[in-house]
Amino acid sequence: MSIEALSGKVFLVVTGASRGIGRQIAITFGSLLQEGSHILLLARNLNDLKEVAKNIPSKVTVHTVSIDLGEAKVTKTDFEETILGCLNGTTRDAFDRVVVVHNVGTIGDVTKFVNEMVDIDVWNQFYTLNLFLPTILNAVIMNLFDNSTNTKKVVINITSLFAIQANMACGYYCSAKAAREMYFKVFALENPDVNVLSYAPGPVDTDMFQTVRGMIANPESRKTFEHLRETNTVLTTEQTVNRLVEILKEHKYNAGDHVDYYDN
Ligand SMILES: NC(=O)c1ccc[n+]([C@@H]2O[C@H](COP(=O)([O-])OP(=O)(O)OC[C@H]3O[C@@H](n4cnc5c(N)ncnc54)[C@H](OP(=O)(O)O)[C@@H]3O)[C@@H](O)[C@H]2O)c1
């Protein structure tokens, strides 16, 4: 299958790649990449990242790096060193395309309603992982692969229906997903040469989905999640990532658009 967004020699970065949707993005995209491409997989659990790497064809070089993206002390320099470390022996302009998938995300404490969310440290940690560090990582990659390298750029933000639809007991999650989506809309305006997509993957059977289903404070939401499970309408990671590939292939969206699994 020929997909322009993944064609040529690619440098692919996937955050939150050890489990769930990020794991599947790494495996599916990895199977579509040309020989000589590199993939950088980021998450905390190095063993899981290495297991993911085993599922990627050997013609692609995979780098696995353990990093806690919820740590405010992670800096621009840490990201630069990580990426330059992977490029050791390869020049940046050896790549036709850099593809960044900002997949990492956490749901936050869904046992709390907004009037109970009064601890600034909790807000800071949540926003560090879900907004601040993704923006810094993105800027670092854009600056490393600036116009002097002639590398085409694709940025995929894994968003959620909850970025555009409020849900009770999801104050942390909804607000950060909305902010992250708007950040990438501004990024798209300022960088018209970049292919930017915010993809909402639908309800997907991952650890995050199980946490929300089991813990969410609002009984109505709990019923909705339970209903999805009982009716077998929760998606597999393969289903949602195959849909993402189709959306990239068709490329009917404008830069920065929110596109959902269920959109036509
Ligand atoms: N599942 C759904 O129904 C659903 C629906 C809409 C949107 N989404 C979005 O899809 C994306 C992926 O969600 P998912 O369901 O696949 O989640 P998941 O199964 O919980 O996986 C989360 C991934 O993020 C990594 N991660 C978590 N905390 C981290 C930290 N502090 N530092 C570095 N990495 C960290 C985890 O790896 P380690 O534990 O190894 O660090 C894991 O690889 C998220 O952005 C989520 O908002 C999911």
Side-chain angles (χ1 to χ4, degrees), residues 4 47 93 106 111 120 142 163 169 204 223 230 232 247 257:
E4 211 214 320
N47 286 337
D93 54 13
T106 50
T111 66
I120 189 71
M142 293 306 122
V204 188
K223 267 193 221 149
E230 283 164 7
N232 255 339
I247 289 164
D257 277 357

Side-chain angles (χ1 to χ4, degrees), residues 15-23 42-46 48-49 67-71 102-107 125 129-130 157-162 173 177 180 199-212 225 234 237:
T15 65
S18 62
R19 293 183 273 128
I21 298 168
R23 172 185 182 277
L42 301 173
R44 287 167 303 183
N45 190 319
L46 192 57
D48 285 354
L49 289 177
I67 183 167
D68 187 344
L69 294 167
E71 270 288 343
H102 297 286
N103 166 75
V104 77
T106 50
I107 189 72
Q125 205 201 2
L129 182 131
N130 287 283
N157 169 39
I158 302 299
T159 187
S160 168
L161 174 63
F162 287 2
Y173 188 73
K177 282 295 194 195
R180 182 155 135 179
Y199 174 61
V204 188
D205 190 10
T206 65
D207 293 346
M208 179 184 285
F209 182 84
Q210 298 306 340
T211 304
V212 187
F225 286 112
V234 185
T237 57

Side-chain angles (χ1 to χ4, degrees), residues 38-179:
H38 283 233
I39 308 184
L40 168 60
L41 304 179
L42 301 173
R44 287 167 303 183
N45 190 319
L46 192 57
N47 286 337
D48 285 354
L49 289 177
K50 287 185 172 158
E51 283 302 313
V52 176
K54 285 183 191 161
N55 292 285
I56 295 171
S58 57
K59 64 182 180 179
V60 173
T61 305
V62 185
H63 311 265
T64 51
V65 175
S66 168
I67 183 167
D68 187 344
L69 294 167
E71 270 288 343
K73 63 175 193 269
V74 173
T75 63
K76 152 187 181 284
T77 312
D78 295 322
F79 286 140
E80 281 167 354
E81 285 174 1
T82 302
I83 290 157
L84 292 173
C86 302
L87 295 175
N88 198 9
T90 322
T91 56
R92 273 167 264 168
D93 54 13
F95 295 97
D96 300 302
R97 202 176 303 276
V98 60
V99 180
V100 192
V101 187
H102 297 286
N103 166 75
V104 77
T106 50
I107 189 72
D109 185 351
V110 288
T111 66
K112 287 195 165 52
F113 295 105
V114 287
N115 291 343
E116 300 168 289
M117 298 176 184
V118 289
D119 184 336
I120 189 71
D121 292 336
V122 176
W123 276 105
N124 270 332
Q125 205 201 2
F126 190 79
Y127 267 69
T128 295
L129 182 131
N130 287 283
L131 179 66
F132 303 153
L133 287 181
T135 69
I136 293 170
L137 175 63
N138 196 66
V140 163
I141 295 173
M142 293 306 122
N143 294 332
L144 284 175
F145 291 88
D146 64 8
N147 288 341
S148 67
T149 64
N150 274 331
T151 315
K152 294 193 171 66
K153 297 170 198 88
V154 180
V155 171
I156 302 166
N157 169 39
I158 302 299
T159 187
S160 168
L161 174 63
F162 287 2
I164 56 170
Q165 180 186 291
N167 198 72
M168 281 168 77
C170 289
Y172 295 118
Y173 188 73
C174 290
S175 63
K177 282 295 194 195

